[in-house]
Amino acid sequence: MDGLVMTGQLLLGLSILIILHEAGHFFAARAFGIRVEKFYLFFDAWGFKLFSFNYKGCEYGIGWLPLGGYVKISGMIDESMDSEQLAGPPQPWEFRSKPAWQRLIVMLGGVTVNIVLGIFIFWMLTLKNGETFIPNDKLPDGISPGLIGKEIGLQTGDRITAVNGMPVVRFDELTSSKVLLGNTELSVARGTEIKTIQVPGDILEMVSDLGIGQFVEPRVKMSGIVQIAPGGNAAKAGLQKGDSILAVNNKAITFYDEFKSEVQANKNKTVALALIRNNQPMELPTQVSEDGTVGVYISPYFNIPIETVNYGLIGSLPVGASKAWGSFMDNAKGLGKVASGQVKANKAFTGPIGIATMFGATVDWVKFWSLVGLLSMALALMNLLPIPALDGGHAIFLLIEMVKGKPLGDKFMERAQMVGFVILVTLMVFVFGNDIIKHVIN
């Protein structure tokens, strides 16, 4: 059932993005009097389709291969590789008969819609929910570094005050791209001293392997148990929701990171948990699993101040636009890291399985639309890449045509389209294979 919910959300999100992206091409073409022959969600590869109908000379349908979608524009060499239509003289309703600037607008129509959609989604989310954050200067006990944080030199109780000399206002800045893209400098208050910690360029790989929780988290005091994992070791030992754990093996516990550290140090062993239940002290022997957990969830935000800023209709627009554009630039910088070899491609790219996992097994509409917004900006960036067969490749050829004053030859365009198709298939195979290795084999 969980898999169906994740798959359903993935398909719904992708369908929205694909339909609107192709609608950008469709309406731009129609605005310039260019005939559109097909409008498809997913690909009708080898002529197989799930559904189709004709309306005003255009075939609308749903293909069986969920790897994207397309509009087939008359007089254009595209992924259909239909070169027969180019054998005759240009017709006034064809793509090739229009000025280069009009054709460029048509090619960038899909990307434009994705960017506008991303901005709109983040605008509406900001309007509805505002911005909730942890004020960095109000963390009572500093940070709790994980394995990654400790490796780069952070210590428990540190207070990270600045990134590259810029004061940190919100704690989530420490887990944002300004830090995780690497080669950044952290100013750290440790006791009465100010330390400088360098964040390496390959930190994204470390986060990909171990998870963001192994970088930094707010340091929090122990609170009552919020949830017990059904059938877990804590449940078997008799722990209950609301219990307050005071010590592990007679070692007093004040902070959550101390509890995790003591439990992690006793993998596959039994520990004595001293706790308070209904004002009564008690001790329960509890087995620790091989991954160093006992199966309890303790709220990490029990004693941390959280602030919310609400915005009106107009005020939320620049905030939402900034979030959308920030995600676009983060993806662009990430691609730059891959191209320069600072981050391995298999760590940077996520395929359908990974994206479905992000949506999760429950329907949370705020999370759903947040992911759709992020994916919309990522789709815009990917389509702008200068690869033949992508919008960016077509745009590059049109810009060259505008400089030269004449179009590139049909044979060249056909060959370029084939090269682009091979590149895209190779990328798809890599992404799918990488996805399977990460989420199935492992």
Side-chain angles (χ1 to χ4, degrees), residues 399-417:
L399 290 172
I400 293 173
E401 176 185 335
M402 293 168 75
V403 172
K404 288 180 61 179
K406 62 178 182 179
L408 299 171
D410 290 344
K411 288 296 182 185
F412 171 82
M413 292 297 293
E414 287 180 29
R415 292 186 184 122
Q417 194 76 13

Side-chain angles (χ1 to χ4, degrees), residues 328-373:
F328 183 92
M329 293 306 298
D330 290 346
N331 281 315
K333 292 173 183 176
L335 284 177
K337 290 274 186 183
V338 174
S340 65
Q342 295 184 63
V343 176
K344 293 178 182 176
N346 65 325
K347 305 287 177 136
F349 295 118
T350 299
I353 299 175
I355 296 172
T357 303
M358 292 179 195
F359 279 107
T362 57
V363 179
D364 180 335
W365 288 113
V366 172
K367 182 179 180 181
F368 174 84
W369 285 113
S370 296
L371 282 170
V372 170

Side-chain angles (χ1 to χ4, degrees), residues 122-170:
F122 283 110
W123 177 20
M124 291 297 102
L125 288 173
T126 303
L127 174 64
K128 184 178 187 301
N129 303 305
E131 289 187 294
T132 299
F133 61 94
I134 299 170
N136 189 60
D137 61 350
K138 293 182 181 178
L139 285 177
D141 300 294
I143 65 164
S144 172
L147 295 175
I148 300 170
K150 290 176 181 177
E151 184 169 329
I152 68 173
L154 294 170
Q155 295 181 10
T156 301
D158 282 350
R159 299 175 186 274
I160 303 175
T161 59
V163 177
N164 290 334
M166 299 297 293
V168 177
V169 177
R170 305 180 180 192

